[in-house]
């Protein structure tokens, strides 16, 4: 390292390499590479970056900035106070600015580029110093894409997808002590739950499972844990939780059943504790949506959102979906007779993903529309065995519900979406997204035809 041997032990020289001296006309010191040559070089570079980062963060702290301790030793370029001051000035200048005849998009993108280009430590210092009013003004401006009406060239705000990527980039780097400030300024980074049936009723309206005391909190379970089959992603372990989004959870579960690695590859944890989730938006564009690790919990600290056996990865898929889902027009009516506390158009909330139709969810999970197929066990089996998972739904009505529960107990519910698990002696086996302890439904072809319909075949990538 720096022309000196990393070791003088002859037993270690094959690993770390040797430094030897050539005649000056050949360039002087030279290095004979060893097995760990690349790793040692990377480690030396990382140590150097972290040292410079710590030195510059110390200067910022001396100047009155607060930086999350977890970022002090980050392996990134050293923080530059000038970057912070420039961003503070630019976001302040948006107040009352005359944006001219071409709208404000160019001005907003200037701030966007500054924030996106910041290191984690710089962004944390910026959030420590920036007034909340400036952040909220910036959010209002980037979210308003309307123009003056008659000036088609008047571009305002940031397009929805660009705005989503920008906010995700901020959350992915920001220290935890500034998450609340970011969520207050940018409501699009945290989905509300106080408009859900589960919150308003204090229970899941179909299963009756308790949802009292709903509040935000960090779950005790990790992102991943070995499932009942020992793997990170186990479809049989997924539990819908309390929200009425079976139509989404069934799609997520059936996809995980066919290609668990696809689901595993679509979720990653950031160094600051936030989680990136791969999801496709309403226009079919792939997005990596960043969410904070807090989820709706009950009064005892148990997750009320989707979850798996000892693992929370389904909760973050669900949370990202709640932020991005753009197909809501009020959802499917939830039998509250037009009560606007329940039936309303929403976007970016858990309420927006309660009660909708089963064909709406697959594009957000797989990036492809589902395909309606013939409503028969033979047709469903053909699709399933060709690698296309299938979800099906039940109808409505008290008589249907009573008769279905006579056959399958509380595992059956009307206005519910199930996923196909397989076939058994000519019967179809359906999984309930409510998860354990609800048993699978085993239906004959005649029973299937009577109680289930609208089968949707999903197209799941094979790699």
């Amino acid at each position: 390292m720096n022309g000196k041997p990393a070791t003088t032990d002859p037993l270690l020289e094959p690993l770390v390499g040797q430094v030897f001296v050539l005649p000056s006309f050949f360039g002087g010191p030279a290095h004979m590479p060893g097995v760990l040559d690349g790793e040692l070089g990377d480690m030396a570079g990382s140590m150097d970056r972290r040292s410079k980062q710590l030195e510059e963060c110390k200067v910022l702290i001396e100047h009155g900035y607060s930086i999350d301790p977890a970022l002090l030793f980050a392996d990134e370029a050293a923080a530059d106070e000038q970057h912070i001051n420039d961003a503070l000035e630019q976001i302040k200048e948006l107040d009352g600015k005359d944006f001219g005849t071409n709208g404000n998009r160019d001005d907003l993108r200037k701030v966007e580029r500054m924030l996106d280009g910041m290191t984690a430590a710089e962004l944390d210092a910026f959030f420590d110093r920036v007034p909340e009013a400036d952040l909220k003004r910036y959010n209002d401006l980037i979210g308003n894409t309307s123009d003056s009406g008659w000036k088609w060239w008047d571009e305002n705000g940031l397009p929805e997808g660009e705005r989503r990527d920008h906010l995700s980039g901020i959350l992915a780097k920001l220290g935890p002590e500034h998450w609340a400030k970011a969520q207050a300024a940018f409501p699009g980074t945290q989905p509300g739950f106080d408009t859900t049936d589960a919150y308003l009723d204090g229970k899941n309206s179909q299963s009756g499972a308790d949802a009292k005391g709903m509040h935000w909190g960090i779950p005790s379970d990790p992102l991943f844990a070995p499932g009942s089959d020992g793997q990170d992603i186990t479809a049989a372990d997924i539990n819908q939780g309390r929200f009425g989004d079976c139509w989404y959870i069934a799609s997520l579960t059936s996809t995980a059943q066919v290609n668990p690695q696809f689901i595993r590859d679509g979720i990653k944890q950031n160094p600051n504790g936030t989680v990136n989730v791969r999801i496709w938006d309403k226009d079919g564009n792939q997005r990596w949506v960043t969410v904070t690790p807090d989820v709706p919990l009950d009064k005892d600290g148990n997750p009320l959102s989707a979850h798996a056996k000892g693992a929370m990865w389904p909760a973050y898929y669900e949370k990202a979906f709640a932020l991005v889902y753009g197909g809501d027009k009020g959802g499917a009516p939830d039998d509250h007779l037009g009560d606007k506390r329940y039936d309303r158009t929403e976007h970016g909330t858990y309420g927006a993903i309660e009660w909708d139709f089963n064909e709406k969810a697959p594009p957000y999970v797989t990036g492809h529309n589902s395909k309606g197929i013939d409503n028969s066990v033979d047709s469903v089996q053909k699709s399933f065995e060709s690698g296309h998972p299938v979800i099906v739904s039940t109808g409505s009505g008290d008589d249907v519900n009573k008769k279905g529960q006579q056959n399958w107990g509380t595992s059956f519910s009307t206005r519910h979406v199930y996923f196909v698990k397989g076939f058994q002696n000519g019967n179809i086996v359906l999984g309930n997204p409510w998860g354990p302890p609800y048993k699978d439904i085993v239906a004959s072809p005649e029973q299937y035809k009577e109680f289930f319909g609208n089968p949707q075949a999903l197209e799941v990538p094979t790699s």
Side-chain angles (χ1 to χ4, degrees):
M1 302 175 76
N2 292 327
K4 298 179 181 180
T7 181
T8 57
D9 189 331
L11 295 177
L12 295 178
E13 285 179 356
L15 295 177
V16 301
Q18 304 174 16
V19 174
F20 58 93
V21 179
L22 291 171
S24 60
F25 54 86
F26 282 119
H31 183 265
M32 180 68 73
V35 175
L36 297 181
D37 181 61
E39 287 83 349
L40 290 174
D42 291 343
M43 184 179 296
S46 177
M47 291 170 64
D48 185 53
R49 286 189 297 273
R50 292 172 191 270
S51 295
K52 291 179 180 178
Q53 163 79 333
L54 185 60
E55 291 171 0
E56 293 304 320
C57 284
K58 181 180 178 182
V59 173
L60 290 176
I61 292 171
E62 290 173 350
H63 290 181
Y65 291 94
S66 174
I67 300 176
D68 193 285
L71 304 177
L72 298 181
F73 291 93
D75 188 0
E76 60 184 12
D80 187 332
E81 188 171 3
Q82 190 59 49
H83 294 166
I84 303 166
N85 291 333
D86 289 345
L88 289 169
E89 185 63 26
Q90 286 297 321
I91 201 168
K92 179 181 179 181
E93 288 182 1
L94 296 175
D95 185 16
K97 183 173 182 177
D98 180 1
F99 294 106
T101 59
N102 291 327
N104 60 25
R105 187 163 294 174
D106 289 342
D107 299 273
L108 296 176
R109 279 181 170 155
K110 187 174 182 179
V111 177
E112 177 190 21
R113 287 192 295 269
M114 284 185 166
L115 298 181
D116 287 349
M118 283 182 164
T119 67
E122 289 171 348
L123 188 65
D124 213 50
F126 168 83
F127 263 80
D128 179 62
R129 190 65 60 88
V130 66
E132 292 182 8
D134 286 357
L135 286 178
K136 291 179 178 179
R137 181 186 310 110
Y138 179 58
N139 178 70
D140 291 342
L141 291 171
I142 64 175
N144 182 5
T145 55
S146 62
D147 56 31
S148 59
W150 59 275
K151 292 187 293 186
W152 56 266
W153 61 88
D154 188 8
E155 293 186 308
N156 293 317
L158 299 178
E160 183 178 351
E162 180 179 342
R163 185 169 68 250
R164 169 59 51 202
D165 292 346
H166 178 44
L167 296 179
S168 288
I170 289 174
L171 270 189
K173 292 187 289 187
L174 196 62
E177 69 178 37
H178 291 130
W179 290 347
K181 186 174 184 179
Q183 290 169 341
F186 306 115
T189 59
Q190 183 82 325
F193 57 66
D194 59 352
T195 61
T196 63
D197 290 9
Y199 178 82
L200 293 170
D201 295 340
K203 63 181 180 180
N204 179 286
S205 57
Q206 291 177 300
S207 69
D210 185 85
K212 293 183 176 67
M214 191 180 295
H215 67 281
W216 287 108
I218 305 293
S220 58
D221 288 334
L223 183 61
F224 294 108
S228 56
D229 60 358
Q231 303 300 312
D232 282 349
I233 305 295
T234 306
D237 294 343
I238 299 175
N239 188 306
Q240 177 184 324
R242 302 299 186 267
F243 299 126
D245 59 349
C246 57
W247 57 287
Y248 170 73
I249 301 300
S251 289
L252 182 69
T253 305
S254 62
T255 301
Q257 181 180 230
V258 170
N259 191 346
Q261 190 59 45
F262 176 75
I263 295 296
R264 179 65 176 83
D265 291 342
I267 186 166
K268 302 172 183 177
Q269 195 153 28
N270 296 309
N272 68 343
T274 57
V275 181
N276 289 345
V277 181
R278 179 184 58 197
I279 193 168
W280 282 262
D281 65 20
K282 61 183 174 61
D283 298 316
N285 300 308
Q286 180 181 296
R287 303 282 176 199
W288 281 93
V289 178
T290 304
V291 295
T292 51
D294 51 338
V295 298
L297 304 176
D298 68 13
K299 58 183 182 301
D300 297 318
N302 301 307
L304 292 174
S305 57
H307 54 279
K309 180 183 178 182
M312 293 305 301
W313 64 266
Y316 301 119
Y317 264 100
E318 181 182 50
K319 188 174 182 180
F321 179 59
L323 287 175
V324 173
Y325 181 52
D328 179 53
K329 301 298 181 185
D334 55 8
D335 288 343
H336 280 280
L337 303 177
D339 187 333
K340 292 303 180 183
R341 294 177 303 159
Y342 296 85
D343 288 325
R344 62 179 124 181
T345 301
E346 296 184 65
H347 184 63
T349 69
Y350 283 104
I353 64 171
E354 286 197 316
W355 300 99
D356 219 327
F357 301 99
N358 58 354
E359 67 270 18
K360 297 283 191 71
Y364 290 84
V365 179
T366 69
H368 301 279
N369 289 324
S370 60
K371 179 183 178 181
I373 57 177
D374 183 58
N375 191 40
S376 68
V377 169
D378 287 343
S379 180
V380 172
Q381 185 169 2
K382 181 179 179 180
S383 176
F384 183 83
E385 292 179 349
S386 65
H388 296 282
V390 180
I391 57 176
V392 301
S393 56
T394 56
S396 59
D398 293 339
D399 290 342
V400 173
N401 195 54
K402 181 179 179 180
K403 190 174 180 181
Q405 292 197 353
Q406 287 172 348
N407 289 319
W408 300 292
T410 55
S411 288
F412 180 86
S413 179
T414 51
R415 305 183 72 226
H416 194 39
V417 182
Y418 296 79
F419 63 98
V420 177
K421 294 188 72 172
F423 299 84
Q424 186 180 96
N425 300 323
N427 297 324
I428 188 171
V429 181
L430 302 175
N432 191 330
W434 291 343
Y438 293 93
K439 296 180 180 180
D440 296 338
I441 285 179
V442 180
S444 67
E446 295 75 23
Q447 288 174 320
Y448 170 81
K449 194 82 170 180
E450 181 179 358
F451 290 97
F452 301 92
N454 192 23
Q456 297 290 317
L458 278 63
E459 182 177 340
V460 179
T462 56
S463 61

